[in-house]
Amino acid sequence: MSDCLVIGGGVIGMMSARTLALAGAKVTLLDQSQCAQESSWAGGGIISPLYPWKYDDLTNELSIASQQVYEQLCAQIHEDTGLDPQYLKSGLLMMDEFDTPEAGAWLERHNLGYDKHPKGALFANIAQVRNPRLLKALKADIVNKGVNIVEHAKAEELLVKGGRAIGVKTNQKNYTADHIVVCSGAWSSQWLSLSEKIFPIKGQMIVLKSKPSEVEHIVLDQGRYIIPRKDGRILVGSTMQKVGFDRSTDEQTCQALHQFAAQRFERLANATVEHHWSGFRPASASAKVMLGRHDEFDNVYLNTGHFRNGLNMAPESAKRITQLITHEA
Ligand SMILES: Cc1cc2nc3c(=O)[nH]c(=O)nc-3n(C[C@H](O)[C@H](O)[C@H](O)COP(=O)(O)OP(=O)(O)OC[C@H]3O[C@@H](n4cnc5c(N)ncnc54)[C@H](O)[C@@H]3O)c2cc1C
């Protein structure tokens, strides 16, 4: 029996497992396939909501608190594992919507500003992580910290005794624990009944092979973005498709994303598309993160529904769920 069972090995599950282990809990993390292969792998790694004023207060609160610790957290994980998550303060150049009254009011409320740039507004403090590397490092880190990872163990239902959850039944065997933390991303409603349904919103993304410094900042325009990695690779995303768990990618989207990048940086027109993939954002009708206790079982905790912002909200979401379990808050 573990103190805590974490269901799902994306960024939310692994960061939750890390903070719980650091708080002294005996943690088992289950994943239905392998950790670090789903939305958290597929994402762009921008450590900020795209247009923050379009999100609710909790999303911004979790995001701003996470932004304050991300650099140090990545440095710590790098030091502890030897794997570099490549935290990079590349800044974000917003080409549209920064001058709306809504944006102005939000920036004033948060006492934030931007630098004027010939092409828009430069938010110089916005950073990115190389999310597949962050996940690889996180996985190594939590194993070092004593978390027991069990892959190919799919949670099928809660085990309930006398009105209390005592564990989960999986396709392998039953696991029992004092506390169960649901971090199953877009699949959360597939195995557990929730007050609000979580469903997948597919995002397609491409990566272009380019030279370092071809693009200096993350660029955001018309809801789409261009993310320059340190080694010259450039990610371009993304789509928002409500098509269930259909992983397919299509040529038309690949061309549209490539064209979006080439229209802003002419030289990218001839860049090779190295890879094209999709991922499932965990969405809900309210688009609000679910962070707290389950309605019915007070030892089942939800840390899911992070939609477009799971990478940037992960550290603070993990901290808060840990505080709730350890009664610190
Ligand atoms: C194209 C794209 C771009 C994005 N860009 C960004 C960005 O730039 N910045 C940002 O902050 N966010 C971004 N996001 C959103 C972000 O990726 C997600 O919000 C985040 O990854 C959600 O993390 P998660 O751990 O909840 O989900 P996931 O990473 O999907 O992990 C869920 C895990 O749970 C496991 N699981 C599911 N069901 C079960 C079960 N029954 N039993 C056991 N295991 C189970 C799955 O196998 C999976 O490993 C992007 C997403 C996409 C798709």
Side-chain angles (χ1 to χ4, degrees), residues 7-13 30-46 48 153-156 183-187 191 201 203-205 225 227 238 279-282 303-304 306-313:
I7 314 299
V11 72
I12 301 297
L30 309 181
D31 198 284
Q32 63 181 357
S33 55
Q34 282 178 291
C35 296
Q37 303 290 313
E38 296 292 353
S39 190
S40 307
W41 178 90
I46 304 172
S48 169
K154 179 178 180 177
E156 292 176 340
C183 307
S184 316
W187 295 264
W191 72 273
I201 293 290
Q204 295 187 47
M205 188 103 98
Y225 47 80
I227 309 172
S238 177
F280 300 125
R281 304 178 185 93
N303 195 1
T304 186
H306 293 74
F307 192 34
R308 304 194 81 173
N309 294 298
L311 287 153
N312 73 65
M313 290 194 274

Side-chain angles (χ1 to χ4, degrees), residues 206 254-264:
I206 60 169
C254 179
Q255 281 174 17
L257 292 173
H258 195 169
Q259 199 179 19
F260 168 81
Q263 280 165 352
R264 280 142 194 92

Side-chain angles (χ1 to χ4, degrees), residues 145-295:
K145 291 184 168 46
V147 174
N148 174 30
I149 296 181
V150 187
E151 296 186 319
H152 306 289
K154 179 178 180 177
E156 292 176 340
E157 59 185 15
L158 281 179
L159 295 169
V160 179
K161 198 172 172 185
R164 191 172 165 78
I166 56 161
V168 297
K169 173 179 176 292
T170 77
N171 57 337
Q172 291 186 2
K173 61 174 199 167
N174 293 345
Y175 289 85
T176 56
D178 298 322
H179 306 283
I180 297 145
V181 192
V182 180
C183 307
S184 316
W187 295 264
S188 300
S189 291
Q190 297 236 312
W191 72 273
L192 185 66
S193 155
L194 300 173
S195 57
E196 197 182 4
K197 212 171 164 161
I198 306 266
F199 53 87
I201 293 290
K202 177 163 87 174
Q204 295 187 47
M205 188 103 98
I206 60 169
V207 61
L208 301 171
K209 196 169 179 190
S210 180
K211 292 191 209 86
S213 321
E214 194 74 70
V215 178
E216 196 181 353
H217 310 292
I218 300 165
V219 173
L220 174 62
D221 195 13
Q222 297 173 1
R224 292 203 159 158
Y225 47 80
I226 300 168
I227 309 172
R229 298 299 200 207
K230 252 185 190 165
D231 64 3
R233 290 193 164 76
I234 294 176
L235 273 66
V236 191
S238 177
T239 57
M240 296 274 278
Q241 299 169 271
K242 195 172 176 188
V243 290
F245 289 98
D246 165 13
R247 287 185 196 274
S248 63
T249 55
D250 62 275
E251 190 48 35
Q252 204 183 340
T253 298
C254 179
Q255 281 174 17
L257 292 173
H258 195 169
Q259 199 179 19
F260 168 81
Q263 280 165 352
R264 280 142 194 92
F265 299 92
E266 239 173 73
R267 271 184 290 191
L268 295 182
N270 297 321
T272 313
V273 178
E274 266 194 338
H275 192 34
H276 178 195
W277 67 92
S278 72
F280 300 125
R281 304 178 185 93
S284 61
S286 71
K288 286 188 178 155
V289 58
M290 287 188 195
L291 184 64
R293 283 181 213 274
H294 189 271
D295 284 350

